[in-house]
Amino acid sequence: MPQRLRPPCRVDTITFPVFGSSWWGSHEDGTSIVAFCGGGGSAKTGVHNKILVRINNSSTPLEISTEFEVCIAVQVYQNPLTKRIYLMGAVGHKICRYDLPHGDTQQ
């Protein structure tokens, strides 16, 4: 018999339509990064286009405005050579790369 899904153990309330999400975690130092992207698109509805990044369950997420273009996909990854952590976002006709803080630099 298949296992039943349990209710979520955490719910993040997002104030805009979400088009993409990504999670990255480190087994070495316990860093956990969750990113969401979306918004109102080019419509002038008052819903801003943005990327939200929450590092280690911080109470205040990092917010990246994508201005008038909506981000439809995000991916958090770590460069295996430099160990730096990046977020890639598909924004309009561009792929944008953002450098993220890591480990002890973010509480």
Side-chain angles (χ1 to χ4, degrees), residues 9-95:
C9 59
R10 175 186 168 143
V11 175
D12 286 341
T13 301
I14 306 297
T15 60
F16 58 90
V18 174
F19 298 128
S21 64
S22 179
W23 172 79
W24 178 86
S26 169
H27 66 277
E28 295 172 0
D29 66 3
T31 298
S32 177
I33 300 173
V34 177
F36 302 99
C37 67
S42 61
K44 297 190 186 302
T45 61
V47 178
H48 300 284
N49 299 314
K50 62 181 97 174
I51 301 169
L52 290 183
V53 182
R54 190 177 303 273
I55 301 174
N56 293 334
N57 293 322
S58 61
S59 59
T60 305
L62 301 172
E63 185 173 311
I64 302 166
S65 172
T66 58
E67 303 284 325
F68 301 107
E69 296 185 278
V70 69
C71 181
I72 61 166
V74 287
Q75 178 66 45
V76 178
Y77 75 97
Q78 183 176 42
N79 181 313
L81 302 176
T82 66
K83 301 297 184 193
R84 294 187 70 166
I85 299 175
Y86 299 98
L87 179 137
M88 302 289 279
V91 181
H93 297 287
K94 304 175 291 218
I95 301 295

Side-chain angles (χ1 to χ4, degrees), residues 29 31 56 102-107:
D29 66 3
T31 298
N56 293 334
H102 176 239
D104 294 333
T105 62
Q106 181 75 20
Q107 294 298 322

